[in-house]
Amino acid sequence: MGLFENIKNFFTPSSNSKIVKLYVQDKKCGNKMRVVLRKGYDIQRIYKDDVEGKYQISKVLVCDKCYNNIVIDVKFDKNYNVLDRSIENGKFITEEEFQNRN
Ligand SMILES: [Zn+2]
């Protein structure tokens, strides 16, 4: 009976390696948001040799509470570790800070 083993294989681990999660807080109203980025879709490959980093994303986030525009710019290395990041109209927070909202 290999049935249960077969079923187990249908479930992928919860830490999906195809996505990168960032957490930001709106400076205007304090709203905390999770940003889910898809590798290869939202995050663009950097082809320039003179730029540090392999992947980059520039994105305008709209706060779902006050519609403030938050601009993020993040660079990643080849393993999607954050190398450099900047943000306007908000700040980056940790996952713990995001979970402790309310
Ligand atoms: Zn807001």
Side-chain angles (χ1 to χ4, degrees):
M1 287 290 279
L3 182 63
F4 285 105
E5 281 157 49
N6 289 338
I7 288 173
K8 225 170 12 184
N9 289 338
F10 287 139
F11 298 99
T12 51
S14 57
S15 58
N16 192 330
S17 63
K18 287 194 172 67
I19 59 169
V20 174
K21 286 179 200 163
L22 298 172
Y23 300 90
V24 300
Q25 182 171 23
D26 181 17
K27 208 182 252 180
K28 197 174 168 189
C29 75
N31 185 30
K32 293 176 180 176
M33 290 166 281
R34 174 168 50 202
V35 186
V36 179
L37 305 169
R38 288 154 292 179
K39 294 176 182 175
Y41 186 84
D42 296 306
I43 302 173
Q44 303 299 318
R45 177 93 190 260
I46 302 172
Y47 291 102
K48 293 176 196 162
D49 288 337
D50 57 337
V51 176
E52 193 191 7
K54 275 282 178 197
Y55 301 96
Q56 180 178 33
I57 180 155
S58 298
K59 197 176 175 74
V60 178
L61 310 168
V62 180
C63 177
D64 54 15
K65 283 196 176 154
C66 73
Y67 304 106
N68 188 29
N69 282 6
I70 303 158
V71 185
I72 61 168
D73 195 325
V74 186
K75 285 189 180 70
F76 303 89
D77 69 8
K78 60 179 166 53
N79 297 316
Y80 286 94
N81 295 309
V82 175
L83 285 174
D84 191 21
R85 61 187 189 180
S86 67
I87 188 166
E88 289 172 37
N89 301 327
K91 67 169 189 171
F92 290 105
I93 57 174
T94 64
E95 185 175 358
E96 285 73 31
E97 287 176 296
F98 174 77
Q99 301 292 354
N100 292 332
R101 68 194 190 279
N102 296 323

